[in-house]
Amino acid sequence: MSYRLRMLVERLGGQLFGNAEIEVSGIAPLDTADASHVTFLSNSKLRASAAQTKASALILSPADDGELQHAYGGARIVTDNPYAYFARVAQLFAEQSAIPVQRGIHPAASVHPDAQVDPSASIGPHVTVEAGARIAAGAVVDAGSFVGREAVVGEGTHFHANVSFHAGCQIGRNGIVHSGAVIGADGFGFAKEKGAWVKIPQTGRVIIGDDVEIGANTTIDRGALSDTVIEDGVKLDNQIQIGHNCHIGAHTAMAGCVGVAGSAKIGKYCTFGGAAMVLGHLTIADNVHISSGSMVSRSILEPGQYTGFYPLAKNADWEKTAAIVRNLGTMREKIRELEKTIKTLTQEK
């Protein structure tokens, strides 16, 4: 199915300049788009590519439109947030090819008689749903997933294949949990006694809000005593580790391989680049942005961008720098002694 440009603007807003009756059948990047596509410009550094794109229509910001309205010959949709507009256009086209969900319980699923599954939910083959679990209206649970006893899955939430959602955990409406994610496994809790480790029972839950997306193979540990909490709108990429008793504020987003140690409290609207690490028991304020690969070793109480790593260098250069850093304390003391000597000599003159 194709859309006329006026139909897109009627549904999504924005200002349309050019032929409103142009039909587009998909969305594509600037360099691969052709006359059947709409494309978008979200990075002003790519204005030259936008001017040369073969797409029939271009989504762009007012500032970029001012620069490109004469250089680009196609129709233009002007909006304050071209990247978000692109995402919504992409959703429209994706809906056309989506496979309809089959509602009900698959014959190969194992659902305990005491579990509550709404008739509009979809339970795929080889799914296990234990006693006391509640699956709400519209929820979709794909093949091979596990839903523990007394768990709660909200309306419209989708579990992809092989998700493990353990006992007592809860997730709100319209969530997406990708394949291999494990929600509610035991946190890493042990006490040392006479050289051996004594396990601390992990009796808390994982409580997840509405509109949360959890990537493939991401793990969120249940709390030791109190709950691990993931607030509304949080987006977690693949292979992320969230430790027990963490609290992640609403609309925070984390890229792949981020690790958050236990009992860390992270504010709202934060972002974490790939492989960033957060030590346990720290507090991070709202609107904090952590660069990729950074190690957060202290609490951050003010919003802003934070970075903590050495720039990449050739190994030999890096080793020299590391040697200098190791000796900074000694160098500082020598400099202080030199300053004292210079001061004494100056006074004697």
Side-chain angles (χ1 to χ4, degrees):
M1 176 182 174
S2 61
Y3 285 97
R4 297 184 188 277
L5 294 182
R6 61 173 174 79
M7 296 168 63
L8 294 179
V9 174
E10 286 169 0
R11 293 189 64 167
L12 303 176
Q15 287 183 287
L16 175 61
F17 297 92
N19 186 356
E21 300 305 315
I22 291 175
E23 290 191 16
V24 289
S25 57
I27 189 163
L30 291 167
D31 57 346
T32 61
D34 58 34
S36 67
H37 293 126
V38 59
T39 190
F40 67 99
L41 174 65
S42 60
N43 183 344
S44 296
K45 294 179 180 179
L46 299 178
R47 283 176 179 169
S49 297
Q52 300 298 320
T53 185
K54 296 180 174 62
S56 291
L58 175 64
I59 303 165
L60 72 174
S61 70
D64 287 329
D65 185 59
E67 297 293 329
L68 289 170
Q69 57 181 308
H70 301 299
Y72 170 69
R76 308 183 315 280
I77 299 175
V78 180
T79 178
D80 290 335
N81 190 338
Y83 197 61
Y85 201 101
F86 142 72
R88 298 199 180 280
V89 172
Q91 287 176 356
L92 292 179
F93 287 114
E95 288 171 0
Q96 299 173 12
S97 58
I99 299 173
V101 173
Q102 300 297 316
R103 304 299 176 184
I105 301 173
H106 192 279
S110 176
V111 179
H112 194 282
D114 291 338
Q116 300 177 37
V117 179
D118 189 277
S120 69
S122 174
I123 308 298
H126 310 296
V127 170
T128 299
V129 182
E130 291 190 340
R134 291 190 289 124
I135 312 294
V140 180
V141 185
D142 281 355
S145 295
F146 166 83
V147 181
R149 62 184 68 239
E150 297 182 1
V152 178
V153 179
E155 178 180 355
T157 287
H158 185 175
F159 285 4
H160 287 270
N162 301 313
V163 167
S164 294
F165 196 77
H166 287 277
C169 297
Q170 299 181 14
I171 186 168
R173 297 173 297 173
N174 302 317
I176 301 174
V177 184
H178 290 276
S179 298
V182 179
I183 313 301
D186 279 2
F188 192 71
F190 300 91
K192 200 167 189 179
E193 182 181 50
K194 298 179 180 178
W197 296 105
V198 180
K199 184 176 177 61
I200 300 170
Q202 305 290 290
T203 58
R205 304 169 296 171
V206 176
I207 307 298
I208 302 171
D210 298 338
D211 301 306
V212 171
E213 183 159 354
I214 298 168
N217 295 320
T218 284
T219 58
I220 305 175
D221 292 342
R222 66 174 58 250
L225 298 175
S226 58
D227 298 327
T228 300
V229 178
I230 311 294
E231 293 186 0
D232 293 350
V234 168
K235 309 301 179 186
L236 303 179
D237 197 2
N238 303 331
Q239 298 180 323
I240 287 173
Q241 162 66 26
I242 305 295
H244 58 184
N245 299 106
C246 287
H247 191 123
I248 311 298
H251 306 291
T252 284
M254 296 181 178
C257 298
V258 167
V260 183
S263 299
K265 183 177 177 58
I266 295 173
K268 302 176 181 179
Y269 303 103
C270 296
T271 59
F272 291 76
M277 295 287 136
V278 180
L279 298 187
H281 300 274
L282 301 183
T283 297
I284 296 178
D286 297 345
N287 295 297
V288 166
H289 307 290
I290 305 298
S291 299
S292 299
S294 295
M295 167 69 78
V296 181
S297 58
R298 58 179 175 81
S299 291
I300 299 175
L301 305 181
E302 296 182 3
Q305 179 82 35
Y306 292 82
T307 302
F309 55 83
Y310 287 116
L312 187 69
K314 291 183 177 179
N315 188 69
D317 294 337
W318 184 89
E319 288 180 346
K320 291 177 184 177
T321 301
I324 293 171
V325 170
R326 282 199 303 270
N327 291 303
L328 282 178
T330 302
M331 292 171 62
R332 182 179 63 177
E333 294 304 319
K334 289 182 178 179
I335 291 170
R336 286 177 174 174
E337 290 300 322
L338 285 171
E339 288 175 340
K340 290 179 182 178
T341 301
I342 292 169
K343 185 177 181 180
T344 300
L345 293 173
T346 303
Q347 289 173 346
E348 288 178 353
K349 290 182 179 180

